[in-house]
Amino acid sequence: MDGASRLWVFLKVILPMSFPAVAVTSVISFIAHWNDFFRPLIFLNSFEKMTQPIGMTALTGAFATGNLSSILAGVTLSLIVPLLFYISGQKYLLDGITAGGLKL
């Protein structure tokens, strides 16, 4: 690393070492924002702009008399994106969690 610039040291040393921590933070943040209910409920006022959790409550109907099969189908479809995101980042999640707990 003798003679390397700050950018080169960042790209070749710091970034690869911090990648598991960044991956863990991004997966947890994505799932938290995917499941956010109250913030979109406050700001959105039309059915065209609804997020997935608010759309799921719309499936229940006016007096919670919605069709149970359509609600369960919506729940199943809503699990696909976070599950794929989690599976794609599972290796980095494990690396990031164990890196913080190991004593070197």
Side-chain angles (χ1 to χ4, degrees):
M1 296 274 93
D2 191 27
S5 67
R6 290 181 187 253
L7 179 64
W8 188 256
V9 171
F10 176 75
L11 291 176
K12 295 298 180 182
V13 177
I14 297 171
L15 195 61
M17 290 180 68
S18 64
F19 188 74
V22 171
V24 168
T25 305
S26 65
V27 168
I28 292 173
S29 176
F30 172 77
I31 292 176
H33 284 90
W34 180 265
N35 292 328
D36 193 17
F37 181 78
F38 289 111
R39 189 175 303 141
L41 184 65
I42 292 170
F43 294 124
L44 299 177
N45 56 7
S46 66
F47 286 108
E48 293 83 23
K49 297 177 183 176
M50 276 190 188
T51 60
Q52 181 266 331
I54 298 174
M56 292 296 298
T57 60
L59 287 176
T60 59
F63 297 106
T65 58
N67 188 3
L68 185 61
S69 61
S70 66
I71 294 170
L72 293 177
V75 168
T76 304
L77 288 175
S78 70
L79 287 175
I80 291 173
V81 173
L83 187 64
L84 289 176
F85 197 76
Y86 173 75
I87 289 172
S88 67
Q90 185 176 9
K91 181 181 93 168
Y92 303 112
L93 277 171
L94 186 62
D95 289 345
I97 291 172
T98 56
L102 294 178
K103 188 175 185 181
L104 298 175

